[in-house]
Amino acid sequence: ILYMLLLCVAIPLSVKELVSRHAEKHIIVWFVAGVFVYSTIPITIAGVVHHLCNLSDPPQQKRIIRIIMMVPVYSFFSYLGMILKEQTIYLNAMRECYEAYVIYNFMMFLVTFMYEHYNVEQLLTFKPAQLQLFPFQKLPPWPKVS
């Protein structure tokens, strides 16, 4: 709470000081963006520590931690891309790779959660088939799983 209060006071005062010294606009933008990037770190650390202290399902929580880490990683690479314009394409590629990794972890989290808590195969077996959109309704139906 003290950290957030400090940010709420320090950011406006610092921006006011930068404006009074006639700093260029991109410097002010970099400063404000940097403050918000670094404000993601304690929030993320709090979430990760909470999951590590309360390990009730370690394989699932490992995936959750990877998803939580998306916020500082994504913001850090975006911030660097804003500052280092020549390297933006490489930084964006690294950011997109981590994003794909997080999407994979989210999908694995959902699949394992559904199979642990619900009998997905039985639910899908008794669910009637739905009418598909135009090009897909011409395809043959899926075979029945026995």
Side-chain angles (χ1 to χ4, degrees), residues 2 5-6 8 11 15 20 23-24 30 37-40 62 67 82 84 90 93 97 110-111 114 122 126 129 133 144:
L2 180 64
L5 183 63
L6 181 66
C8 290
I11 291 174
V15 169
S20 69
E24 296 178 31
W30 288 352
V37 166
Y38 291 114
S39 69
T40 64
K62 183 170 61 172
I67 294 168
M82 185 173 62
L84 308 170
Y90 306 112
C97 286
L110 289 179
V111 167
M114 293 299 286
Q122 185 180 14
F126 294 114
L133 295 175
K144 292 284 183 183

Side-chain angles (χ1 to χ4, degrees), residues 45-73:
I45 289 173
V48 169
V49 167
H50 179 72
H51 276 284
L52 291 176
C53 289
N54 303 308
L55 281 177
S56 58
D57 188 5
Q60 288 291 73
Q61 286 175 299
K62 183 170 61 172
R63 291 186 180 102
I64 292 171
I65 289 171
R66 290 175 187 157
I67 294 168
I68 292 173
M69 289 300 295
M70 174 72 180
V71 176
V73 169

Side-chain angles (χ1 to χ4, degrees), residues 3 29 35 65 72-73 75 100 109 111 126 134 142:
Y3 185 79
V29 171
V35 168
I65 289 171
V73 169
S75 62
F109 170 76
V111 167
F126 294 114
F134 165 65
W142 286 95

Side-chain angles (χ1 to χ4, degrees), residues 6-22:
L6 181 66
L7 282 178
C8 290
V9 172
I11 291 174
L13 291 176
S14 301
V15 169
K16 182 181 176 212
E17 183 66 26
L18 285 171
V19 169
S20 69
R21 291 180 184 221
H22 303 292

